[in-house]
């Protein structure tokens, strides 16, 4: 990851928006972020972590993080961070939240992420930074951005935690094949058990059983073939005899059926005669009767229509008479409507004349009212012009009296510089006195405890050595007393005649007797407590004196530095006093300078006031001139409008025709408007009423003509119906005579009688067909049985033999079929068994291989092995720099638990824990490991450049170690690495190629300054 840009607003001490262009800083490969303690340096790293992961080191979600992280003078917090990933993809992460109306209540932290694509920021679905960096938050702060207090975390991690970290960074989970092997093994074992259960059901299936069953099937098939031949011969004989018997019985039945049909033949013939008479009569008379009936019904309907048409015709004639009377009543007024329209037009002109007269009065009133306002505004303009001239003269006079400010500015800088140096001198003197008092107080601690500052370590060490010797003797005495107590307990437990539990002897001539043992134990315990108390006392004194000694050395160094700074400050003051060059002023007394400064300030204030007043007067003058122009333009517009209104009124008066203007001279505008409206309503009423009546009478006349036509047509149609009915009646008379019927009633009785013609005709036809078929069948059967003989005894004998042979055949078929099924089943099961045995062999071999893999990947052994390889490689890479930093005195190694140890070459190469390293050595080791880890990550991600931040550690290094560390960091630029450091030590600025400084302003908060 390579940072490109960061902006912070409203976070901790960052009140206003501050921007950092990392591309300017990372060009040199090594850059710094400097500032005083509490200025907001570490907040930069915290802002990056919050934007990427939504998490920080100082505060978590339960600490009201949004409220506590927001600047107390800000109402919102906004963080924008842009960077390049190892894939050279450009990302932007944004975190923001706002303050609500309640000061301590804030919105939730909203995070979003974008990627630069096609010259535009495209939103991402997830704002999880690990998806872009391929690092979790914990590993991100161990390898990329290392916050305060976390630099040694990777060095001192336990083996298991470090292995988990290596898994994530180097994707070692792909080597964790144990779960996959277990899954495969479980599946394979389950299949094996299934196959074992399946094979247990095939114990009776074998090659011998299959061959034996084949022989049984062949023998059964031979017996079946012989039985079938005998069965077929008997079957043909029985079928032939049975057929003769069936034919004889059939012939007898057919003759009986033919006799029964012959008896009902006469009845069928009579039924056929009646049916033929019904069909002829129905065919001749049904259609004429139906036509006469239909014509009579239509004639009745038509007569009813004619009666209705007659009633409608009479009603329409009455309504037309009424409408003609109404038209006649308004016809006279309607004919005079043009005169009314002309009068209405005159009323429109009259109304316009009245409106224009009223408008002219209003305009004259406005004209009279506006003229004095214009005069008043012009007098105001003249007064303002006089004020402007006076102010311009006064301003010119002040500018002529103005003092040259360049000399005063230089003098002010000189006095301020002098005051700053004097304040610094006083502060250094005060600091020196305070350090002197603190040194005396801490040096007095040695004398108060009875030690000298030079040999207190040897004295306390000697005392502790004596206490340790006494403690050793006390522990030996304690062990001796405990043995005596145990032996005494055994001696008291001895019984006569029983074996000793220690030596096995049966005789105990002189058993041990213990006396005063408890007093000795109590005395020994008391001595032990005294020795422990003395040891704690001397250890506490040692700790106090160690801190005091370190503090004295530190304060002496600071005191020496403060003295040097004081001398430099005094020299600087002397040099500054030599640069005073203004003879009219005093070097030690700035009153004359202050008086001149106040005079200049008063002149500038007066000038500013006059310029403000002049600006205001000119603005008022411009407004007055604009008002005059606007008022005069408005008056001209009113005069023009009056002339237009007068012209319109004159034109309307000349156009009047039927109305005399003098008659309406005293009428108001509303009265004229009312007269005009009444006249227009009268015209509209006459037009609409006359039109409606005319349309209505035309509609009625049209309807009357239609009704008259329909009435005439209906009368003609009635005459036609009468002629048709007469013609049909004549036709029926001829038919009655032709069919010898007396009257039409006799015909209707025949036709109306319900008779199922189709069914009766079908029954008659079926009777004749059955008679003919029976006669044919009787003749055929008689011819078939003419030359053939039949014996019932022969049929019975053959049937009994056939039944016996049929039973034998069925038994033989069942036996053969059962044997063939058994043979087929054995063949299928034998094939299944062979297939199962093949599968079992394959799975058994796979189980053996999986067992070997299980032993190989059991637990995390293989992953830990790969992790240890990465750690050892990283350790070798780190030692290249660590040897140089420690002057070949120390190196790092990894033990069997994947924990770091230190090889001390000054002590015969013995190994010891990394926790025994000093603060400076821990920083060096952590730095080398961090660089090695970064190289590994860069190689893994195939990144061109890699980057990490350091937020601590340089204060623990001596001057020579710092030189070595800086040389190491400088080499990184050649290795295409980028390192950023954060420090409050100002002296480091000179050694960093590029840097920014965080300055904290009491009013505006922290600011970023490029240096």
């Amino acid at each position: 990851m390579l940072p490109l840009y960061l902006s912070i607003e409203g976070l901790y001490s960052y009140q206003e928006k501050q921007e950092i262009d990392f591309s300017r800083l990372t060009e040199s490969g090594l850059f710094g972020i400097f500032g005083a303690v509490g200025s907001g340096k570490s907040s930069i790293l915290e802002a990056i972590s919050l934007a990427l992961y939504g998490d920080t080191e100082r505060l978590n979600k339960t600490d009201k993080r949004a409220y506590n992280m927001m600047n107390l003078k800000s109402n919102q917090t906004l963080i924008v961070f842009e960077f390049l990933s190892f894939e050279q993809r450009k990302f932007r992460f944004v975190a923001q939240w706002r303050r609500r109306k309640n000061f301590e209540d804030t919105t939730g932290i909203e995070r979003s992420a974008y990627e630069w694509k096609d010259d535009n920021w495209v939103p991402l679905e997830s704002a999880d930074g690990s998806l872009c960096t391929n690092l979790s938050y914990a590993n991100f702060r161990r390898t990329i951005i290392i916050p305060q207090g976390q630099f040694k975390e990777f060095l001192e991690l336990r083996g298991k935690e470090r292995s988990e970290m290596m898994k994530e960074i180097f994707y070692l989970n792909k080597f964790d094949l144990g779960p996959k092997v277990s899954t495969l093994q479980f599946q394979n074992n389950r299949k094996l058990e299934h196959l074992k259960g399946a094979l247990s059901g095939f114990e009776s299936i074998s090659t011998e059983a299959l061959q034996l069953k084949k022989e049984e099937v062949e023998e059964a098939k031979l017996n079946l073939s012989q039985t079938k031949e005998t069965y077929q011969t008997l079957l043909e004989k029985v079928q032939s005899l049975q057929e003769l018997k069936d034919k004889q019985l059939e012939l007898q039945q057919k003759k009986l059926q033919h006799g029964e049909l012959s008896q009902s033949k006469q009845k069928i013939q009579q039924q056929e005669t009646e049916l033929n008479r019904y069909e002829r009569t129905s065919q001749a008379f049904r259609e004429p009767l139906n036509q006469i009936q239909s014509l009579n019904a239509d004639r009745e309907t038509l007569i009813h229509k004619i009666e209705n048409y007659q009633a409608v015709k009479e009603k329409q004639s009455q309504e037309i008479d009424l409408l003609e009377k109404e038209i006649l009543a308004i016809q006279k007024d309607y004919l005079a409507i043009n005169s009314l329209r002309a009068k209405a037009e005159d009323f429109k002109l009259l109304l316009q004349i009245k409106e224009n007269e009223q408008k002219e009065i209003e305009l004259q009133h406005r004209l009279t009212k506006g003229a004095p306002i214009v005069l008043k505004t012009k007098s105001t303009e003249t007064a303002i012009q006089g004020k402007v001239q006076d102010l311009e003269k006064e301003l010119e006079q002040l500018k002529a009296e103005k003092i040259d400010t360049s000399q005063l500015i230089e003098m002010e800088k000189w006095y301020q510089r002098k005051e700053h140096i004097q304040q610094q001198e006083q502060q250094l003197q005060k600091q020196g006195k305070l350090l002197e008092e603190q040194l005396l107080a801490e040096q007095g601690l040695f004398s108060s405890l009875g030690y000298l500052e030079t040999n207190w370590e040897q004295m306390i060490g000697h005392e502790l050595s004596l206490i340790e010797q006494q403690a050793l003797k006390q522990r030996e005495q304690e062990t001796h007393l405990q043995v005596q107590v145990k032996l005494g307990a055994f001696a008291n437990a001895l019984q006569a005649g029983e074996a000793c539990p220690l030596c096995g002897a049966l005789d105990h001539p002189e058993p041990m007797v213990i006396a005063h043992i408890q007093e000795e134990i109590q005395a020994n315990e008391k001595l032990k407590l005294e020795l422990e108390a003395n040891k704690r006392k001397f250890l506490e004194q040692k700790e106090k004196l160690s801190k005091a000694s370190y503090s004295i050395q530190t304060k002496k160094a600071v005191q020496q530095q403060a003295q040097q700074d004081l001398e430099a400050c005094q020299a600087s003051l002397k040099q500054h006093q030599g640069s005073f060059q203004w003879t009219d002023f005093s070097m030690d007394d700035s009153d004359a300078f202050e008086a001149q400064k106040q005079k200049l300030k008063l002149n500038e204030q007066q000038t500013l006031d006059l310029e403000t007043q002049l600006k205001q007067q000119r603005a008022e003058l411009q407004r007055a001139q604009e008002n005059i122009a606007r008022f005069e333009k408005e008056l001209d517009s009113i005069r023009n409008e009056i002339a237009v209104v007068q012209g319109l009124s004159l034109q309307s008066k000349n156009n009047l025709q039927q109305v005399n203007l003098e008659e309406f001279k005293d009428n108001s505008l509303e009265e004229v408007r009312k007269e005009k409206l009444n006249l227009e309503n009268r015209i509209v009423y006459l037009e609409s009423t006359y039109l409606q009546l005319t349309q209505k009478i035309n509609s009625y006349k049209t309807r009357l003509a239609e009704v008259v036509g329909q009435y005439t047509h209906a009368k003609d149609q009635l005459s036609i119906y009468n002629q048709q009915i007469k013609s049909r009646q004549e036709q029926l008379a001829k038919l009655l005579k032709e069919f010898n019927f007396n009257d039409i009633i006799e015909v209707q009785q025949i036709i109306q009688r319900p008779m199922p013609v189709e069914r009766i005709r079908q029954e008659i036809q079926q009777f004749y067909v059955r008679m003919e078929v029976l006669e044919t069948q009787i003749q055929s059967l008689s011819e078939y049985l003419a030359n053939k003989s039949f014996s019932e005894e022969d049929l019975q004998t053959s049937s009994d033999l056939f039944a016996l042979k049929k039973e034998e055949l069925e038994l033989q078929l069942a036996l053969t079929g059962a044997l063939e099924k058994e043979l087929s089943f054995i063949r299928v099961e034998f094939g299944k068994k062979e297939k199962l045995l093949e599968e079992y062999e394959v799975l058994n071999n796979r189980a053996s291989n999986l067992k070997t893999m299980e032993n190989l990947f059991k637990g995390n052994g293989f992953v830990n092995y790969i992790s240890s390889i990465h750690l050892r490689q990283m350790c070798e890479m780190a030692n290249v720099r660590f040897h140089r930093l420690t002057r070949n005195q120390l190196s790092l190694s990894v033990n069997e638990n994947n924990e770091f140890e230190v090889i001390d070459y000054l002590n015969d190469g013995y190994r010891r824990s990394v926790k025994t390293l000093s603060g400076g050595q821990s920083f060096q080791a952590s730095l080398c490991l961090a660089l090695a880890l970064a190289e590994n990550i860069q190689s893994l991600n195939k990144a061109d450049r890699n980057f990490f931040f350091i937020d601590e550690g340089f204060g623990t290094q001596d001057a020579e170690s710092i030189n070595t560390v800086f040389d190491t960091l400088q080499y990184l630029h050649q290795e295409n690495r980028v390192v950023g450091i954060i420090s409050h030590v100002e002296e480091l600025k000179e050694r960093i190629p590029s840097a920014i400084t965080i300055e904290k302003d009491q009013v505006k908060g922290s600011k970023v300054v490029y240096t």
Side-chain angles (χ1 to χ4, degrees):
M1 183 191 80
L2 189 67
L4 300 176
Y5 169 81
L6 175 68
S7 72
I8 306 175
E9 178 184 356
L11 181 72
Y12 289 128
S13 58
Y14 290 87
Q15 181 180 344
E16 299 178 351
K17 181 179 179 181
Q18 299 297 312
E19 297 177 294
I20 300 176
D21 184 2
F22 281 105
S23 59
R24 295 173 54 183
L25 300 175
T26 56
E27 290 176 354
S28 59
L30 177 64
F31 67 90
I33 298 176
F34 296 95
V37 175
S39 60
K41 304 183 299 298
S42 298
S43 299
I44 294 174
L45 303 190
E46 196 163 354
I48 295 175
S49 298
L50 185 64
L52 283 176
Y53 295 95
D55 206 349
T56 63
E57 285 300 301
R58 275 194 273 187
L59 296 170
N60 55 40
K61 295 179 180 178
T62 60
D63 295 327
K64 293 182 67 176
R65 182 165 59 188
Y67 168 73
N68 288 313
M69 293 180 72
M70 186 182 290
N71 185 279
L72 294 176
K73 294 182 180 179
S74 300
N75 290 322
Q76 72 165 354
T77 302
L78 176 62
I79 302 169
V80 180
F81 178 56
E82 297 176 7
F83 66 94
L84 281 177
S85 70
F86 66 92
E87 300 171 326
Q88 295 302 306
R89 295 164 62 190
K90 187 176 178 182
F91 293 97
R92 169 184 283 178
F93 279 74
V94 179
Q96 58 185 341
W97 64 95
R98 296 177 178 275
R99 196 184 301 280
R100 300 185 190 275
K101 292 182 179 179
N102 183 5
F103 185 78
E104 296 185 0
D105 189 15
T106 62
T107 61
I109 299 177
E110 298 177 1
R111 297 175 54 252
S112 54
Y114 308 86
E115 184 177 359
W116 184 257
K117 290 182 179 179
D118 301 328
D119 297 330
N120 194 18
W121 288 110
V122 179
L124 299 179
E125 293 182 359
S126 173
D128 184 3
S130 61
L131 301 178
C132 302
T133 62
N134 282 349
L135 291 171
S136 65
Y137 172 63
N139 291 334
F140 180 78
R141 62 184 179 82
R142 292 169 182 157
T143 58
I144 302 295
I145 291 182
I146 307 175
Q148 289 182 350
Q150 303 296 326
F151 197 67
K152 296 194 298 181
E153 182 180 0
F154 177 67
L155 181 67
E156 297 179 356
L157 277 176
R158 290 184 297 178
K160 182 179 179 182
E161 295 172 347
R162 189 180 294 106
S163 295
E164 291 298 323
M165 174 181 172
M166 300 295 287
K167 281 184 189 179
E168 179 182 334
I169 293 177
F170 295 103
Y171 312 109
L172 300 185
N173 284 325
K174 61 185 177 182
F175 298 108
D176 188 8
L177 303 178
K180 294 182 179 179
V181 171
S182 298
T183 303
L184 293 175
Q185 199 171 26
F186 172 76
Q187 295 173 351
N188 194 72
N189 291 337
R190 186 172 61 181
K191 290 179 181 179
L192 275 174
E193 292 299 323
H194 179 71
L195 284 177
K196 286 179 181 179
L199 286 170
S200 64
F202 293 91
E203 295 176 355
S204 61
I205 306 301
S206 63
T207 306
E208 293 79 7
L210 180 61
Q211 185 61 35
L212 182 61
K213 191 59 66 178
K214 285 181 180 179
E215 293 175 357
E216 291 180 0
V217 169
E218 291 297 328
E219 184 179 355
K221 284 183 177 180
L222 180 61
N223 294 333
L224 177 64
S225 176
Q226 295 174 354
T227 306
K228 277 185 177 180
E229 290 178 0
T230 307
Y231 170 81
Q232 191 65 33
T233 302
L234 288 172
L235 175 63
E236 291 175 356
K237 183 178 180 180
V238 170
Q239 287 177 345
S240 175
L241 293 172
Q242 185 65 41
E243 185 179 2
L244 288 173
K245 182 180 179 180
D246 292 341
K247 294 291 185 182
Q248 289 179 350
L249 292 173
E250 185 180 358
L251 179 61
Q252 294 174 2
Q253 290 175 357
K254 298 296 183 184
K255 288 180 178 179
L256 290 174
Q257 292 175 3
H258 185 270
E260 292 175 355
L261 288 176
S262 297
Q263 293 176 359
S264 58
K265 185 175 181 180
Q266 187 176 0
K267 182 180 177 181
I268 292 298
Q269 289 175 349
Q270 184 180 357
Q271 236 178 10
E272 185 177 9
T273 302
E274 291 179 357
L275 181 62
N276 291 333
R277 185 168 182 263
Y278 173 80
E279 286 181 338
R280 288 196 305 273
T281 304
S282 177
Q283 184 176 2
F285 286 93
R286 187 177 297 279
E287 184 177 355
L289 287 173
N290 289 338
Q291 288 178 353
I292 288 174
Q293 186 177 1
S294 175
L295 288 170
N296 284 326
D298 292 343
R299 181 173 175 275
E300 291 296 326
T301 304
L302 190 59
I303 291 171
H304 181 67
K305 278 186 178 181
I306 291 171
E307 292 174 352
N308 289 337
Y309 289 149
Q310 182 66 30
V312 171
K313 185 175 67 169
E314 293 175 357
K315 184 178 179 182
Q316 291 289 330
S317 298
Q318 292 173 2
E319 290 179 350
I320 289 171
D321 292 339
L322 292 174
L323 289 174
E324 287 177 346
K325 291 178 182 180
E326 291 181 8
I327 291 174
L328 189 60
I330 65 167
Q331 190 171 15
K332 182 179 179 181
D333 292 338
Y334 179 75
L335 295 175
I337 197 168
N338 290 330
S339 176
L340 292 175
R341 286 198 182 102
K343 189 174 182 181
E345 289 298 322
D346 283 356
F347 268 101
K348 285 183 182 179
L349 296 173
L350 182 62
L351 185 61
Q352 290 176 1
I353 293 168
K354 290 289 184 181
E355 289 175 349
N356 289 331
E357 288 176 352
Q358 186 173 348
K359 190 173 183 180
E360 183 179 356
I361 293 170
E362 293 175 356
L363 291 172
Q364 289 291 351
H365 177 70
R366 288 174 58 192
L367 186 63
T368 306
K369 187 178 178 182
I373 296 174
V374 173
L375 295 175
K376 183 179 180 181
T377 307
K378 286 184 177 180
S379 63
T380 304
E381 178 191 12
T382 305
I384 293 172
Q385 287 175 344
K387 289 182 181 179
V388 168
Q389 292 175 358
D390 295 340
L391 288 171
E392 287 176 345
K393 291 179 182 178
E394 189 174 353
L395 184 60
E396 289 176 1
Q397 185 178 356
L398 278 174
K399 287 182 178 179
E401 296 174 355
K402 187 176 180 181
I403 307 170
D404 184 18
T405 57
S406 59
Q407 179 180 343
L408 292 178
I409 292 172
E410 291 297 325
M411 290 175 65
E412 185 174 16
K413 288 182 180 178
W414 191 92
Y415 282 117
Q416 287 177 351
R417 175 65 177 162
K418 176 190 173 187
E419 184 180 358
H420 175 71
I421 295 172
Q422 288 176 341
Q423 289 177 353
Q424 191 175 5
E425 180 182 8
Q426 292 173 3
Q427 187 176 359
L428 289 171
Q429 289 174 350
K430 186 177 179 181
Q431 183 181 1
K433 291 180 182 179
L434 181 62
L435 287 171
E436 186 65 32
E437 293 173 358
Q438 291 175 350
L439 281 171
L440 291 174
E442 291 179 348
Q443 288 171 348
L445 178 62
F446 289 91
S447 58
S448 65
L449 295 175
Y451 297 103
L452 296 176
E453 188 178 350
T454 56
N455 64 348
W456 65 273
E457 289 181 298
Q458 292 82 354
M459 293 176 68
I460 290 180
H462 178 67
E463 294 290 344
L464 289 173
S465 177
L466 291 176
I467 291 173
E468 193 61 37
Q469 292 175 6
Q470 292 176 5
L472 181 60
K473 291 178 181 180
Q474 179 269 330
R475 285 194 293 272
E476 292 175 354
Q477 181 64 21
E478 184 179 14
T479 304
H480 174 70
L481 292 174
Q482 289 175 352
V483 172
Q484 292 299 316
V485 170
K486 195 67 176 175
L487 291 174
F490 278 116
N492 290 333
L494 291 175
Q495 300 292 331
E498 293 183 2
C500 176
L502 296 177
C503 63
L506 298 174
D507 188 20
H508 317 293
E510 295 181 357
M512 180 179 179
V513 179
I514 301 174
H516 308 294
I517 191 66
Q518 291 299 329
E519 287 102 355
E520 293 182 18
I521 290 174
Q522 291 175 0
N524 183 273
E525 186 66 25
K526 184 177 180 181
L527 177 61
K528 178 182 177 181
L529 295 174
E530 291 176 355
L531 290 174
E532 289 178 351
N534 290 335
K535 185 178 180 180
R536 283 196 300 272
K537 175 184 174 184
F538 282 109
L539 286 175
E540 290 173 358
Q541 289 180 356
K542 182 179 180 182
E543 185 178 359
K544 288 181 182 179
L545 294 176
S546 295
K547 292 180 180 178
S549 177
Y550 179 77
S551 178
I552 288 171
Q553 292 176 5
T554 304
K555 285 183 172 60
K556 284 183 177 179
V558 174
Q559 187 182 35
Q560 184 179 0
Q561 183 64 41
Q563 184 61 32
Q564 292 175 0
D565 292 344
L566 178 61
E567 292 173 357
C569 183
Q570 291 172 347
S572 177
L573 179 61
K574 186 175 181 181
Q575 181 181 1
H576 183 65
Q577 288 175 341
S579 64
F580 192 82
Q581 55 186 358
W582 299 281
T583 55
D584 296 336
F585 297 90
S586 172
M587 183 189 305
D588 300 322
D589 187 6
S590 60
D591 292 342
F593 163 73
E594 290 295 335
Q596 196 72 9
K597 183 178 174 183
Q598 289 297 326
K599 184 177 178 182
L600 176 61
K601 188 175 181 181
L602 179 61
N603 182 281
E604 289 178 347
Q605 184 62 41
Q606 290 175 347
T607 302
L608 181 62
D609 293 342
L610 285 175
E611 287 177 345
T612 302
Q613 294 177 20
L614 184 59
K615 185 178 180 181
Q616 292 175 350
Q617 291 298 324
R618 284 174 176 167
E620 290 181 4
L621 178 61
Q622 184 177 358
R623 283 195 295 272
Q625 291 172 345
E626 290 174 353
N627 288 336
I628 290 171
R630 182 164 55 84
F631 292 156
E632 290 179 343
K633 185 178 180 181
E634 184 73 19
L635 292 177
D636 292 339
S637 175
I638 292 171
R639 293 188 187 96
N640 293 333
E641 196 170 352
I642 290 172
V644 170
V645 168
Q646 290 174 346
L648 290 173
S649 294
L650 181 60
Q651 184 179 358
S652 297
K653 290 175 183 179
N654 294 331
N655 290 332
L656 289 176
Q657 296 177 359
Q658 296 187 8
V659 175
N660 188 359
L661 181 60
E662 293 297 326
E663 293 179 2
F664 295 92
K665 183 177 181 181
D666 298 329
N667 289 24
S668 64
L669 178 64
E670 192 61 33
E671 290 174 345
V672 173
R673 185 179 286 113
K674 189 174 181 180
E675 288 289 336
K676 173 180 171 293
L677 183 60
N678 291 335
L679 185 58
E680 289 175 347
N681 290 338
R682 177 63 179 169
I683 293 170
V684 171
Y685 168 75
L686 289 173
E687 287 180 338
S688 61
T689 304
Y690 189 82
L691 180 62
Q692 288 176 1
L693 291 173
T694 303
Q695 290 175 348
K696 200 169 184 181
I697 196 171
N698 291 334
S699 174
Y700 282 176
K701 287 180 178 180
T702 302
R703 176 63 179 157
L704 178 60
E706 291 176 358
V707 172
V708 169
Q710 291 171 352
Y711 175 78
T712 304
H713 177 73
K715 293 284 281 183
D716 295 339
Q717 190 70 28
L718 180 61
S719 176
I720 293 171
Y721 280 159
N722 289 331
Q723 292 176 2
Q724 289 177 350
I725 290 171
K726 183 178 180 182
S727 175
R728 292 292 181 267
Q729 288 174 347
E730 290 175 353
Q731 182 183 0
L732 281 175
K734 290 179 182 180
L735 287 173
L736 288 172
K737 185 177 181 181
E738 181 181 349
F739 283 89
N740 296 319
F741 286 111
N742 297 321
D743 54 18
I744 198 65
I745 297 173
E746 187 176 352
V747 174
Q748 288 177 344
Q749 287 176 350
I750 294 173
I751 293 175
Q752 292 175 0
R753 186 177 65 178
M755 179 174 286
V757 176
E758 293 297 328
R759 181 176 63 79
I760 295 172
R761 178 68 66 186
Q762 188 175 5
E763 288 176 356
I764 293 170
Q765 186 177 1
Q766 288 176 355
F767 173 81
Y768 286 118
V769 169
R770 286 179 65 192
M771 283 287 290
E772 185 178 355
V773 169
L774 282 172
E775 290 172 354
T776 303
Q777 289 176 346
I778 289 170
Q779 183 181 359
S780 176
L781 287 171
S782 298
E783 292 174 357
Y784 177 78
L785 295 172
N787 299 320
K788 294 181 181 179
S789 61
F790 169 73
S791 172
E792 185 70 33
E793 184 179 354
D794 191 12
L795 175 61
Q796 184 65 36
T797 302
S798 299
S799 296
D800 292 341
L801 289 173
F802 175 75
L804 292 172
K805 187 56 67 176
K806 183 179 180 181
E807 290 179 2
E808 183 183 354
L809 179 62
E810 288 175 352
L811 290 172
Q812 195 65 37
L813 283 170
L815 177 61
T816 306
L819 290 173
E820 286 179 342
K821 282 184 179 180
E822 290 178 6
L823 177 61
S824 177
F825 173 76
I826 291 173
R827 282 175 175 169
V828 171
E829 294 300 301
F830 190 77
K832 290 180 180 178
K833 184 177 180 180
E834 286 184 338
K835 188 175 181 181
L836 290 173
L837 286 172
E838 291 176 3
E839 292 180 6
Y840 184 82
E841 184 67 23
V842 172
L843 291 174
N844 197 34
N845 293 335
R846 181 176 174 80
S848 177
N849 294 333
L850 288 172
K851 185 65 178 177
T852 304
M853 293 179 70
E854 180 191 17
N855 295 331
L856 178 62
F857 298 114
K858 191 173 184 179
N860 288 324
F862 189 65
V863 176
N864 291 335
Y865 170 71
I866 301 296
S867 175
S868 63
I869 291 175
H870 280 281
L871 278 175
R872 287 185 174 87
Q873 290 177 349
M874 190 169 62
C875 201
E876 292 174 3
M877 295 171 67
N879 278 329
V880 175
R881 296 186 177 94
F882 192 52
H883 281 309
R884 184 168 63 248
L885 292 175
T886 60
R887 305 175 190 86
N888 297 322
Q889 295 176 5
L890 301 173
S891 67
L892 296 169
S893 66
V894 181
N895 62 18
E896 63 276 4
N897 296 323
N898 281 351
E899 293 177 347
F900 286 116
E901 291 181 340
V902 177
I903 301 175
D904 192 344
Y905 295 109
L906 295 181
N907 291 288
D908 299 328
Y910 283 108
R911 294 172 180 262
R912 54 190 173 93
S913 172
V914 292
K915 296 180 181 179
T916 61
L917 293 174
S918 66
Q921 291 171 337
S922 293
F923 170 75
Q924 293 170 347
S926 301
L927 175 62
C928 295
L929 284 172
L931 292 172
L933 185 59
E935 289 174 1
N936 272 289
I937 293 174
Q938 180 181 0
S939 175
L940 182 67
N941 293 332
K942 299 179 182 180
D944 294 336
R945 305 182 76 189
N946 212 340
F947 163 83
F948 67 95
F949 247 123
I950 304 173
D951 191 11
E952 61 175 343
F954 293 96
T956 62
Q957 303 296 299
D958 55 27
E960 187 175 355
S961 296
I962 287 180
N963 289 332
T964 308
V965 170
F966 267 94
D967 290 340
T968 300
L969 296 178
Q970 286 290 352
Y971 290 146
L972 294 177
H973 184 47
Q974 302 174 5
E975 298 172 2
N976 217 13
R977 303 288 188 275
V978 179
V979 180
I981 65 171
I982 293 179
S983 178
H984 62 275
V985 182
E986 289 292 327
E987 288 78 1
L988 296 177
K989 278 188 180 180
E990 300 175 358
R991 312 192 64 172
I992 301 296
S994 60
I996 59 174
T997 302
I998 309 301
E999 297 179 352
K1000 188 171 182 181
D1001 187 275
Q1002 296 298 326
V1003 178
K1004 297 183 178 180
S1006 297
K1007 291 187 175 182
V1008 176
V1009 179
Y1010 286 89
T1011 56

